[in-house]
Amino acid sequence: MQLRQENLNGLKCHVADSLPAGATPRAVVVLCHGYGAPGTDLVPLGQMLLRQPRMASSVQFIFPEAPLSLEELGMPDGRAWWPIDMRRLQMAAALGTFRDLRKDCPDELPVAREMMLGLIREWSERVNVPLSHFLLGGFSQGAMLATDVTLHLDENPAGLVILSGTLLNEDTWNERVAGHKALRVLQSHGTNDPILPFAAAGTLRDLLNHGGADVEFLPFAGGHEIPHVVLDRIGTFLREAIGDGRTSL
């Protein structure tokens, strides 16, 4: 596997594939890390998937680094797509109270969205891969961003992977999901997640389903994480999404 760095629309990105030099990927997977993680956090997921021969010969992964540094908060390698009220988070976790973020729309979200939309356009043109062969996703805050970006695209990508995400920006998402009927979605969430409650994941699932998306909801007994059962399903979902009448992995 080759791993290299690229600057795409102002974002430092880690690009991973096993393709011969100059080869065109048949599919591009863009995965966004969560709050506080380094930009390389999800690279091992790509490494795991690229061990599969059909993936290695077809798929390219892009892992963008969030633009905000958290060094001043004591996380020298930590990055964020937008700031989080850590006091509010810690208090909710300590009290076991429900964190309903559906009406939240961080000021930095539109900026992060435009950076990601520009990244997708730039890479699509560079490697000559259409949006229908892009799969977007992420974990936690990165999953929220990937969902927002997907709903602001003019057409459906091959799929959307929401790993331990939640509903925010509800009014806008509810309005825009109507333009993404038949969008393929894989959504996973731990039933004991102390950070982003399981019930809120169900609310997001229902919003997407009611808008006409095709959501596969994968609950698991666990917390704020990506367990092996989800990792296994991501690989299958990717092959199914890209192979649906457009190309075959």
Side-chain angles (χ1 to χ4, degrees):
M1 187 197 81
Q2 300 91 230
L3 182 64
R4 64 186 187 277
Q5 291 184 12
E6 297 274 356
N7 188 297
L8 301 175
N9 198 40
L11 290 171
K12 178 181 176 181
C13 298
H14 304 273
V15 180
D17 62 47
S18 296
L19 302 171
T24 299
R26 280 187 280 168
V28 176
V29 180
V30 183
L31 296 177
C32 301
H33 65 78
Y35 178 89
T40 56
D41 183 56
L42 295 178
V43 170
L45 190 157
Q47 292 173 320
M48 182 198 74
L49 291 172
L50 286 172
R51 294 192 188 105
Q52 302 177 24
R54 288 189 294 172
M55 292 278 191
S57 63
S58 305
V59 179
Q60 188 171 65
F61 288 84
I62 299 178
F63 304 94
E65 290 197 6
L68 304 180
S69 171
L70 299 178
E71 185 172 4
E72 292 185 357
L73 297 180
M75 293 181 273
D77 297 322
R79 314 293 301 181
W81 298 100
W82 56 83
I84 286 179
D85 185 339
M86 293 303 295
R87 184 173 179 275
R88 176 185 175 194
L89 171 61
Q90 292 165 355
M91 183 172 295
L95 297 176
T97 54
F98 183 82
R99 291 185 70 225
D100 188 350
L101 304 179
R102 69 176 70 192
K103 296 302 180 183
D104 283 18
C105 183
D107 292 340
E108 295 81 0
L109 175 58
V111 176
R113 175 200 307 143
E114 289 305 315
M115 295 182 83
M116 287 296 299
L117 290 171
L119 179 159
I120 294 165
R121 288 191 294 266
E122 181 177 338
W123 199 251
S124 175
E125 293 173 2
R126 186 187 299 190
V127 299
N128 195 29
V129 173
L131 178 59
S132 60
H133 284 222
F134 274 70
L135 187 141
L136 310 182
F139 175 75
S140 193
Q141 191 182 75
M144 301 175 215
L145 176 61
T147 302
D148 187 77
V149 169
T150 297
L151 296 180
H152 280 82
L153 291 169
D154 294 330
E155 60 179 296
N156 285 343
L160 170 64
V161 176
I162 304 172
L163 305 173
S164 298
T166 197
L167 174 62
L168 49 75
N169 205 17
E170 181 180 26
D171 292 341
T172 298
W173 286 11
N174 192 50
E175 177 182 340
R176 297 199 64 89
V177 71
H180 292 274
K181 297 185 186 303
L183 170 68
R184 288 175 175 263
V185 181
L186 173 64
Q187 182 186 2
S188 68
H189 211 97
T191 55
N192 299 311
D193 191 329
I195 306 297
L196 297 172
F198 182 74
T203 304
L204 172 57
R205 173 201 60 205
D206 294 345
L207 180 145
L208 294 171
N209 271 327
H210 291 160
D214 179 10
V215 182
E216 176 184 349
F217 190 68
L218 182 58
F220 59 88
H224 201 61
E225 58 189 295
I226 309 175
H228 285 294
V229 64
V230 174
L231 292 174
D232 290 342
R233 183 60 190 132
I234 291 171
T236 305
F237 178 79
L238 174 57
R239 291 193 299 273
E240 292 172 348
I242 301 298
D244 184 25
R246 295 185 283 271
T247 186
S248 179
L249 295 180

